[in-house]
Amino acid sequence: EVQLVESGGDLVQPGGSLRLSCAASGFTFNFYWMHWVRLVPGKGLVWVSDINSDGRTSNYADSVKGRFTVSRDNAKNTLSLQMNSLRGEDTAIYYCARGSVTGYYYHGMDVWGQGTTVTVSS
Amino acid sequence: SYELTQPPSVSVSPGQTATITCSGDKLGEKYVCWYQQKPGQSPVLVIYQDTKRYSGIPERFSGSKSGNTATLTISGTQTMDEADYYCQAWDSSIVFGGGTKLIVL
């Protein structure tokens, strides 16, 4: 079964850090681009970051650039998101999602994890 | 930054046709995907590359585009189709629309 399982969400104070992980199974992980997308209360889905299949190319939304770092370990079939300098507006459910093999965005994100909740509050 | 505009909500009676629009600058030159998200669940890819139905998605779901407006159409809407729907495109980065709550009553 193709599956993505996120972990690492927690309650953290503003300015704090958190590392999210996403364990992939049931498909050849190192073939695919991977994404992080968050569901923001009252705002909807917001794309956060993506990374190509070999981990050498990554992209970020302007709102997280310089604070978040995406990485992957293809030997362990794991995607990670290191989040630093967290702000209240980072509060959301964070999903990892499978992108395409080609990197073309129009193929969409076809497999999603169940999400992990990050709450930034004092 | 690039924006995709969707109506906040659309209401439809069971068995009728629901249409959800997504508009954006030069959207006609970009490909659009559509996602369905039910409360407490993860998003599901419904349509990709404007018109292609993803594997396992019922035939009552279809995508189209005219000018700078993309449309998700649900024919013979069922109560199980009640959900939030998001369009998505790319313009220097991936962008989602604000989402449309489909109310089936």
Side-chain angles (χ1 to χ4, degrees):
Chain A
E1 179 191 5
V2 175
Q3 196 172 15
L4 297 171
V5 179
E6 302 95 335
S7 60
D10 205 348
L11 170 64
V12 61
Q13 292 190 340
S17 297
L18 208 56
R19 187 177 183 88
L20 306 183
S21 295
C22 171
S25 59
F27 65 98
T28 306
F29 180 69
N30 62 7
F31 279 10
Y32 291 86
W33 282 69
M34 296 296 296
H35 300 264
W36 288 99
V37 177
R38 59 190 183 188
L39 178 63
V40 180
K43 189 175 178 182
L45 295 177
V46 178
W47 176 79
V48 173
S49 178
D50 65 13
I51 187 168
N52 77 328
S53 57
D54 66 9
R56 295 182 182 182
T57 299
S58 57
N59 301 290
Y60 300 91
D62 287 344
S63 59
V64 307
K65 203 171 293 184
R67 300 187 299 123
F68 289 12
T69 303
V70 63
S71 61
R72 64 192 296 163
D73 184 338
N74 286 341
K76 295 183 178 179
N77 290 347
T78 301
L79 175 73
S80 298
L81 185 67
Q82 177 65 42
M83 305 187 295
N84 298 331
S85 303
L86 283 162
R87 308 167 180 168
E89 54 263 39
D90 296 318
T91 293
I93 300 173
Y94 284 74
Y95 298 97
C96 64
R98 188 176 79 172
S100 68
V101 171
T102 60
Y104 293 132
Y105 296 106
Y106 55 74
H107 289 149
M109 302 171 214
D110 66 341
V111 179
W112 294 67
Q114 86 289 351
T116 188
T117 300
V118 173
T119 303
V120 183
S121 175
S122 55
Chain B
S1 61
Y2 191 76
E3 293 186 357
L4 294 171
T5 301
Q6 299 181 235
S9 65
V10 167
S11 295
V12 64
S13 299
Q16 299 304 301
T17 297
T19 58
I20 299 172
T21 59
C22 171
S23 61
D25 185 40
K26 297 183 180 179
L27 190 60
E29 301 173 14
K30 309 176 192 302
Y31 284 116
V32 174
C33 300
W34 290 92
Y35 300 85
Q36 175 195 69
Q37 186 172 31
K38 297 180 179 180
Q41 298 186 19
S42 303
V44 172
L45 177 64
V46 178
I47 299 289
Y48 66 98
Q49 207 170 333
D50 290 343
T51 61
K52 297 182 179 181
R53 196 180 310 110
Y54 187 66
S55 174
I57 300 301
E59 290 185 6
R60 63 180 181 274
F61 289 87
S62 63
S64 62
K65 196 165 62 178
S66 178
N68 291 326
T69 298
T71 301
L72 175 69
T73 301
I74 310 172
S75 304
T77 306
Q78 300 183 10
T79 54
M80 68 170 64
D81 299 331
E82 189 163 278
D84 293 327
Y85 290 85
Y86 296 91
C87 59
Q88 174 243 303
W90 184 89
D91 180 86
S92 73
S93 68
I94 290 176
V95 178
F96 286 94
T100 298
K101 179 177 292 295
L102 178 66
I103 301 166
V104 183
L105 45 68

